[in-house]
Every structure is written in structure tokens, then in C-alpha cells.
Amino acid sequence: MNRRSFLNKIWIWIGVVAGIEFLGLSLSFLVSGKKRGERHNSDRLKVIGRLEDIKPGEVYPYSNGRLYLVRHSDGGMLALSLKCTHLGCSIHWNEDEDKFICPCHSSEFNRFGDVLKPPAPHALDTYKVIVKEGKVMVDLDKKIRRRKFEKSDLTYA
Amino acid sequence: MKQNPQKVNSSLTGSKVYAGVVFRNLVLHLHPVRIPKKSIAFNHTFGLGGMLALLFVLQAFTGILLRFVYQPSPEKAYDSILSIQQDVFMGQFVRNIHHTAGMLMVVLVFFHLLRVVFTEAYKPPRRGNWIIGVVLLLLVIFSNFSGYLLPWDQLSFWAVTVATSMLDYLPFIGEKLMLVIRGGEDVGAITLLNFYNFHTGIFPLSIVILMAFHFWKVRKAGGVVIPGGAGDKDIEKVQVYPNLVAREFVVALVLLALIFLVSSLRNVPLLERANPALSPNPAKAPWYFMGIQELLMHLHPFFAAILIPFLFIISLFSLTFLRFREDRAGIWFSSDKGKRLSKKIALVTLLLVPVLVLASELIPDMVEASSGVRAFIINGLIPFFMFLFLMALFVLWLSRKGNYNMNEIVQGIFVFIISSYLVLMFIGIWFRGEGMELCWPWMR
Ligand code: HEM
Ligand code: FES
């Protein structure tokens, strides 16, 4: 290797290093911006309604927060995410058939969020339900992924 | 016989018919002065690359116009589209052109790829250009996809929600990647901004750069592929001007006329404003991804949305690294035998794929709901390996019993994969109605 080709190699490597640095900087620029954007959505605790208005055996849509609040006949409450676990379409409640149906690829879920019909791979996500001073609130910050419904998912007043 | 390009050039300059600076600088930069007669026959390349280049310019032009009105935010995007359609002079027409030509580019880029495969132009010395071409294919598809979100109507919002959710099934990095692309949990303001940036900045810029490379490499390989190659001394040659230039001009005019005609007769769709709480029924991905969405109805998402598309793109890239004993470059469909085989395979898939789709619809799901690992095995691993096994048997049979050579077999497999995808795509587009249930197109 003569001196010229050696120097050329060095230039190429400096270029590569500079390129990687530039790419890294750009990426961290992009990623950091996203996080800050999210922080602005403060107030993740959403009030759904008063406890006495939420009747056992009913399913309440709460589309602003993108969730359904289900109160089971024994009084246990469950906040189900509206997002189908298959590919993220919004499920809707079918009163007559007593199940949630996803319009996109026709997955079905029961009122506990368990899958009745694939392609959805697992039960609907839930949010934490908090009952305080007679008010029912949902913590939108804490999305809970789960495989299957467990009794402990329910919140009692 | 060797021509002196300098001389031809100056004789052109001398003729007052076509002495334009534009001509010498643009056209003769793209084309050599003389080219093999074979390569200008329309049915050799169908002029697809040239049409794509023209459409790209058209997209850049109409896109810049649209950019003067469009506002990339969830609050304003939909209204700005309405305003383009209602308030802006010829706004609807410009939007129609941009939409139609964008769709057409996806179709033509696919045809262009078919033409390159069927004339075996992907092999060295065109290896670099094949790889650039595959990247261009991806760029054209993702340009269309990123533009899809911009109107922010029910169609675009849900198509992009469904399509970006597929990433979630990519192990380890999928979820992070989805979060970065969407800029959050859901498709929202930052997603729109991201898509706008890619659609009007990063993708077109990348396409321009790669296109320049692409054209230069066509010249460097001695022009488009023809039997015997460009090095052949006795090959019959013709002047680029007027022979090729006139043809290109006619093709360009006809193509533009068609697009303008369609755009003035029919307005492209704009549904209601995006509503994140309400998925339309059915919710479909953009049409070119409908084959994947159809696969999703039958296979585990990791296989349908991640593994199979990934393997397909990898095989496209690696096609150029295959070594063939025989050289059939420049001959359409390799041979008559290869042509017949490909036709048969296309016909069989046309019947086989709908039968499989029906069968998978009628057989009750063997997998008990929400059993992750079992679904992965029964709806994923087993059909996947069964497919690979049958494929291997088929290839073995072709080469041992059918006496097909490698060129014909590779082409046959390619036809099989492409036509399967097309059949799945058309089933998804036309034969899926409410709740994504199978139905006849006229009953949707
Ligand atoms: C923006 C998209 C594209 C444009 C504007 C474009 C343009 C062109 C043009 C003008 C040619 C000259 C011959 C012809 O017209 O057929 C060409 C040739 C070629 N293209 Fe493309 N192309 C694009 C995408 C692709 C794709 C997706 C592939 C394949 C993956 C590809 C692979 C090739 C190859 C290998 C050649 C050389 C063919 C030969 O020498 O016969 N290109 N392209
Ligand atoms: S998104 Fe719900 S079934 Fe596919």
C-alpha cells in the first residue's frame, strides 16, 4: 500500500465515521422529540361517571379515551381498551350477540375481553379502574397487556 | 462499423429541425447516439421504465401544487383537502391526477419488475441496477403508502392503523419501531407529520438520486438487455433520434392523455373525516397490501405480515446472485417450454389459491382462542414448513421428471409466488365484504 492509497483509505473511514455520527445524532433528535410530545398529554386520569350510574350487567362506551367500561353482574368493573389486539382497529359492542366484534378481520371478544374468535392473538388490553369518592375513574397511563382474563382484573367498589 | 458520436452530434446541431439545447443535453445524456434496433421494439421493454420516469415528474409537479394548500395536522388536513377540491382553481383535477398517477406508478413499477425478470435482465452485468431497482420498487410503494394517510379520512386513517400495527408482530424491535413511526401509541398528529415528511421530502429525494443512478447504469451495461448482448459487433443499429425519441414521445403523450382523461371523468374518493373511535366495516389496507391482509385472515400474523413479506424481498434481492448454467438474457420467458410452464403454473394458482382460501374459511378454527404458542405452531410453523416441503418436492419433480433447466424453474417459482399474491390481493379487494366475510363483489 503506498502513501496515497493509505491516505485515501483514511479519508473514506473518516467519512464513514462522520456519516454514522450524523445518522446517530439525527435519530436521537427524532426520538427525543417524540417523548416530549407525549408528556404534554397530562391528566391521564379520566372520570367515567358516578358509581351509582354505572349499572351491573351493562357495557358503556367511552370513546374519547378509546375504551369500554364493563360492569359485570357481580359489580366487578373492567375497563377494556377499544383496540383490537390483532391489528388495532376499534372493536364495537354488539348488544344482541353479547360480544365485541372487530370490523377489520372479524375477531370477536366476550365481555371479559377474552378472544371468542381469532385472528386476535390475545385478550383485550385493560386500564386500571379507580373508584374514589363515588366516582369511577380510569388511569389511561397504565395500559395492561394480558393473555387471558383473570378474576383479579376486576375492580370492585 | 464505428460511428463518431461527435460527428453525429454536430450534424444534429446543424439541422435546424432539432437543434435544441434541451435535446442535446437531456436526451443525449440519457441515450447513446445509436442503439441496437432490437432494443427499441415496444414489446421488448414496453417502455415501462420511461413511463415511470415521466410519472415521477408528473407526481413531483402536481405534488408541489398540492403542497401549497395542504396542511399536515389532524385538525386541518381533512379541511385542506376539502379546500383543494372546492376552493382551489382546478384543485380537484390536480388531486385526481396525483392520486391516479400514484396508483399507476405502483402498477407500472410492478410490471417493470416483471419485464426485467421475464427477460432475465437481473443478472450480471445488471446486478447493481437490479438492486437499485428493488430499492426503487420499495420506495414507490412506500411513497404511495405515506401519501395514503395525508387526506386524514376514514379510509386513510384505518388503512395506516392496520398496516403499521403489523410491525407489532416483529420480535424484539417491532413495538419500538411502531412507536417511532407513529410517534406514539396511536396514529395521530406526529404520525401525520412523519408521513408528510417522508412523502414530500425523503422518499422523492431518494427516488431522484436512485433514478439518476439507475439510468446511468442502463447505459453502462450497454443499453437494455438483448439476446447476445450489447458487445455483439454485427448487431443492427439505428439512430436514437428520431427512432427511439419519437417512440418515447408518443408513449409519453398517450400516457399523459389517458391520465388527464381519467382524472377529468372521475373524482378520486374522499370519505368522512377520520374518527379514531370508529373503524369502518370492513377496514381495508391500501389495495397493494390487500394480499398481506388476506394472508392475515388465515395465518399467524408473524408469518403473514412479517416473515413472508421479508423473505419475499430478500429473495428479490438475491435473485441476481443465482448462477445459471444457461444464458437466456434478453429472451422473453426464457424459452417456449418455460413460457408454457409459467402459463400452467399461473392457471393452477388461479384455481388453487381460491380453493385454499375457501377451505380455510370452512374448516373450523383448530386453535382454541388466545393460545399464543399453539396458534403460532398450528397457524404458522406447520403451514409454512408444509409449503416449503411441497415447494421443494415440486422443484425436484420439475428438474428430474420435467427436464426443466434452472432458468425455467426459477421463472416458474417466481410466477407461482407473484400470481398467488395477486389472487390473494384480488380476493381481499373484491371478495371481502362486511366483517371481512367472503362474498361476491356485486353483493358488497
Ligand atoms: C421509479 C421507479 C423506476 C424507474 C423510473 C425506472 C426506470 C427505468 C428505465 C427508464 C429503464 C430502461 C429500460 C426500460 O424502460 O425498461 C430501466 C431499466 C431497468 N430497471 Fe428500472 N425503473 C424503476 C424501477 C425499477 C424496479 C422496481 C426494478 C426491479 C426491481 C428495476 C430494474 C431495472 C433493471 C434491472 C433495468 C435494466 C433492464 C435491462 O437492461 O434490460 N427498475 N428502468
Ligand atoms: S384488527 Fe381486529 S381483527 Fe384484525
Side-chain angles (χ1 to χ4, degrees):
Chain A
M1 187 190 293
N2 61 25
R3 199 167 81 192
R4 167 170 282 172
S5 75
F6 176 70
L7 285 177
N8 278 345
K9 279 236 168 72
I10 287 191
W11 274 116
I12 289 172
W13 279 108
I14 290 177
V16 169
V17 170
I20 292 173
E21 259 179 62
F22 180 70
L23 208 76
L25 283 177
S26 315
L27 279 181
S28 30
F29 171 92
L30 292 172
V31 173
S32 69
K34 301 290 145 57
K35 277 204 200 96
R36 250 179 279 125
E38 253 178 24
R39 293 270 151 72
H40 293 309
N41 304 341
S42 56
D43 197 17
R44 303 285 272 186
L45 223 55
K46 284 271 159 40
V47 180
I48 302 289
R50 303 197 56 78
L51 188 58
E52 62 261 31
D53 297 335
I54 295 171
K55 307 229 158 45
E58 293 285 318
V59 176
Y60 296 95
Y62 187 78
S63 57
N64 277 357
R66 305 201 65 197
L67 61 89
Y68 275 100
L69 190 82
V70 185
R71 185 144 198 210
H72 294 281
S73 37
D74 67 348
M77 282 178 288
L78 192 59
L80 293 174
S81 160
L82 209 68
K83 248 198 223 170
C84 177
T85 53
H86 181 225
L87 286 176
C89 286
S90 294
I91 52 163
H92 59 82
W93 175 244
N94 187 316
E95 186 77 62
D96 302 333
E97 296 180 39
D98 193 45
K99 61 191 177 195
F100 294 101
I101 299 175
C102 178
C104 293
H105 317 96
S106 54
S107 285
E108 293 174 1
F109 307 84
N110 66 15
R111 55 167 66 212
F112 298 95
D114 270 344
V115 181
L116 290 174
K117 186 172 156 226
H122 59 84
L124 292 170
D125 295 342
T126 60
Y127 294 101
K128 199 166 179 245
V129 178
I130 301 160
V131 185
K132 219 163 134 191
E133 299 157 3
K135 274 189 282 190
V136 178
M137 290 180 288
V138 172
D139 184 358
L140 291 180
D141 228 4
K142 299 224 170 60
K143 192 178 219 171
I144 303 151
R145 273 205 184 203
R146 50 180 196 157
R147 295 239 339 209
K148 260 184 164 158
F149 171 74
E150 308 276 348
K151 196 87 177 84
S152 58
D153 294 346
L154 295 173
T155 307
Y156 292 90
Chain B
M1 184 190 80
K2 205 167 172 236
Q3 268 266 345
N4 180 357
Q6 210 51 49
K7 208 168 141 204
V8 176
N9 236 338
S10 57
S11 82
L12 276 175
T13 327
S15 87
K16 60 180 174 221
V17 192
Y18 223 116
V21 180
V22 178
F23 177 78
R24 265 183 293 130
N25 286 330
L26 195 70
V27 176
L28 289 184
H29 245 95
L30 289 174
H31 298 307
V33 176
R34 286 161 55 78
I35 49 172
K37 187 167 178 202
K38 248 200 147 79
S39 63
I40 65 165
F42 184 67
N43 65 6
H44 189 63
T45 67
F46 293 98
L48 291 160
M51 292 188 208
L52 282 165
L54 175 73
L55 288 189
F56 180 80
V57 174
L58 185 66
Q59 290 304 73
F61 191 75
T62 48
I64 288 171
L65 288 179
L66 292 172
R67 251 184 73 132
F68 276 103
V69 190
Y70 178 78
Q71 293 181 290
S73 77
E75 294 78 30
K76 293 183 176 160
Y78 186 77
D79 288 327
S80 63
I81 298 285
L82 283 182
S83 160
I84 286 168
Q85 299 191 155
Q86 291 159 7
D87 312 334
V88 176
F89 176 66
M90 302 260 269
Q92 176 83 63
F93 185 57
V94 172
R95 173 164 188 248
N96 289 352
I97 293 175
H98 197 76
H99 187 109
T100 311
M103 252 168 88
L104 199 59
M105 268 187 93
V106 175
V107 176
L108 294 185
V109 89
F110 170 70
F111 285 168
H112 181 51
L113 178 134
L114 291 188
R115 156 356 230 160
V116 170
V117 171
F118 289 139
T119 54
E120 250 170 53
Y122 52 80
K123 300 190 301 190
R126 298 181 173 81
R127 179 175 287 164
N129 228 10
W130 168 255
I131 289 170
I132 293 171
V134 177
V135 177
L136 278 172
L137 171 84
L138 297 175
L139 282 171
V140 168
I141 289 175
F142 284 114
S143 292
N144 188 303
F145 179 62
S146 56
Y148 213 90
L149 182 64
L150 304 185
W152 205 254
D153 65 350
Q154 278 290 72
L155 189 69
S156 66
F157 183 88
W158 290 105
V160 169
T161 299
V162 168
T164 48
S165 291
M166 292 178 192
L167 286 174
D168 212 2
Y169 291 96
L170 189 67
F172 311 118
I173 54 166
E175 198 187 347
K176 285 216 182 67
L177 200 62
M178 185 179 83
L179 287 178
V180 169
I181 289 174
R182 287 190 180 171
E185 281 266 331
D186 303 310
V187 173
I190 297 176
T191 323
L192 183 55
L193 199 59
N194 282 349
F195 274 48
Y196 178 69
N197 258 320
F198 273 98
H199 187 74
T200 67
I202 295 172
F203 288 151
L205 195 66
S206 317
I207 290 178
V208 168
I209 293 169
L210 286 183
M211 247 167 52
F213 237 141
H214 199 61
F215 297 162
W216 173 66
K217 287 224 164 218
V218 173
R219 273 200 76 164
K220 214 175 147 227
V224 300
V225 70
I226 45 169
D232 197 340
K233 282 276 183 312
D234 336 302
I235 216 155
E236 193 187 348
K237 288 196 171 185
V238 290
Q239 299 278 348
V240 148
Y241 177 78
N243 295 294
L244 178 60
V245 176
R247 277 160 209 254
E248 287 176 331
F249 189 64
V250 171
V251 170
L253 283 186
V254 171
L255 185 64
L256 283 181
L258 276 178
I259 291 174
F260 289 177
L261 188 71
V262 171
S263 303
S264 59
L265 291 179
R266 171 188 137 275
N267 287 340
V268 299
L270 182 70
L271 273 56
E272 301 95 79
R273 191 186 303 269
N275 178 356
L278 182 74
S279 305
N281 186 355
K284 294 188 176 181
W287 57 272
Y288 39 86
F289 288 153
M290 277 313 291
I292 297 178
Q293 197 175 338
E294 183 57 40
L295 265 186
L296 272 168
M297 314 270 310
H298 311 287
L299 291 182
H300 187 276
F302 173 71
F303 289 85
I306 304 288
L307 188 68
I308 292 172
F310 180 75
L311 286 180
F312 176 67
I313 292 170
I314 294 289
S315 4
L316 276 187
F317 278 119
S318 43
L319 202 52
T320 183
F321 295 102
L322 292 180
R323 283 168 195 276
F324 296 87
R325 220 169 303 135
E326 282 161 77
D327 184 29
R328 302 273 173 84
I331 305 167
W332 267 90
F333 301 114
S334 202
S335 61
D336 276 342
K337 202 174 162 204
K339 190 173 175 178
R340 262 177 277 132
L341 177 69
S342 291
K343 262 193 198 159
K344 269 185 224 151
I345 290 180
L347 261 176
V348 169
T349 37
L350 196 64
L351 297 173
L352 184 67
V353 174
V355 168
L356 284 178
V357 166
L358 268 178
S360 127
E361 203 79 0
L362 294 178
I363 299 169
D365 274 296
M366 287 181 291
V367 192
E368 144 210 358
S370 39
S371 51
V373 183
R374 277 195 61 198
F376 187 82
I377 294 172
I378 296 182
N379 285 342
L381 280 179
I382 291 177
F384 185 69
F385 281 108
M386 223 156 77
F387 170 79
L388 287 188
F389 178 69
L390 290 177
M391 207 60 187
L393 276 188
F394 182 53
V395 168
L396 222 63
W397 182 82
L398 283 179
S399 69
R400 293 277 159 81
K401 287 269 146 74
N403 237 333
Y404 290 97
N405 67 14
M406 182 157 156
N407 309 54
E408 292 151 351
I409 292 177
V410 167
Q411 177 176 283
I413 297 173
F414 179 79
V415 167
F416 175 69
I417 292 171
I418 292 292
S419 41
S420 306
Y421 187 82
L422 288 180
V423 176
L424 285 173
M425 189 178 96
F426 287 124
I427 290 177
I429 297 173
W430 286 325
F431 294 88
R432 291 266 175 202
E434 203 164 291
M436 291 304 277
E437 302 290 345
L438 280 178
C439 71
W440 295 110
W442 51 89
M443 280 162 58
R444 275 189 299 152

